Amino acid sequence: MNLNFKVLKSLAILAVKKTIWKSKLLFQRKVYISFGENCLTDNILDRHNLKSLTTAFSHGRSNIEYILQLEKANFEDFLNLGFLKYESVDGKSVPRLKKYTNIQNNYNELHMNGVEFTHHDVIKNSETRDKMHKRVVDLKKHLNKKEVYIFYHHRVCANSNFPLLLKHLNELKGIYSLNNKKTEIILFTQKIVNDNNRKLVYELTDNIHFFTFNTVNEWQGSNDDIFWAKCDEDLIKGMIDKVKTI
């Protein structure tokens, strides 16, 4: 009985939080969201109290070309079991969408295998599929006549074609500009340097807000401070402060 009460209490609290979130989003003029390429972007927005909602790309691995293909197809077959397949990453099986896989650019090798549901088993769990579907619906439902700020983290990759990356990001900007008052794309990436050259570089390039983090450590590995870029929190804050002025 006590356990059931705790469960009901937790569900009630969750329902209240969802109601508050929806009400807040309804009256929110500026919306800040993460479009990957991995979980880091969503984590940064959350810990700096900017996150407006969770997108279908917030907690997995993707790239801008996969995202564009899905957007243009209106997310057709995004959760179709016929196109989802388990593949191994560091000895762990993760679901990947294998329909939209055509790419022109180079990305970190972990982001070139199809959209990856790193933390959500959308193959075995129907409730998880429903949750992911709702994120797609919410993305379309709540981003209407807003000022939208889309954050996109391009992971370190030696052979990236940045003019092509900017071209693709501008395509995304065009899609979300159709129904919104304003759409801004914030691209951020890393350049690994020594201690003396550590800094944040900002430039507006082809209408994309481009932040380069000249940092000592690549944001990866088992050290959480490095993995979540907390070791460079001063530079992260510099980016967030700048974006708030845009």
Side-chain angles (χ1 to χ4, degrees), residues 1 25 28 39 57 89-91 95 105 116 125 132-133 142 145 157 161 166 172 187 192 194 227 238 246:
M1 189 72 175
L25 190 58
Q28 203 169 12
C39 308
F57 307 110
V89 179
D90 295 329
N105 210 337
E116 180 183 297
N125 194 319
M132 202 59 64
H133 173 71
H142 296 294
K145 297 180 181 179
C157 177
N161 181 332
L166 291 167
L172 183 68
L187 164 66
I192 307 305
N194 61 41
F227 184 84
I246 295 171

Side-chain angles (χ1 to χ4, degrees), residues 55-68:
T55 76
F57 307 110
S58 293
H59 295 154
R61 292 188 175 108
S62 59
N63 66 53
I64 183 58
E65 293 181 72
Y66 295 159
I67 293 169
L68 283 174

Side-chain angles (χ1 to χ4, degrees), residues 23 201 221:
S23 299
V201 178

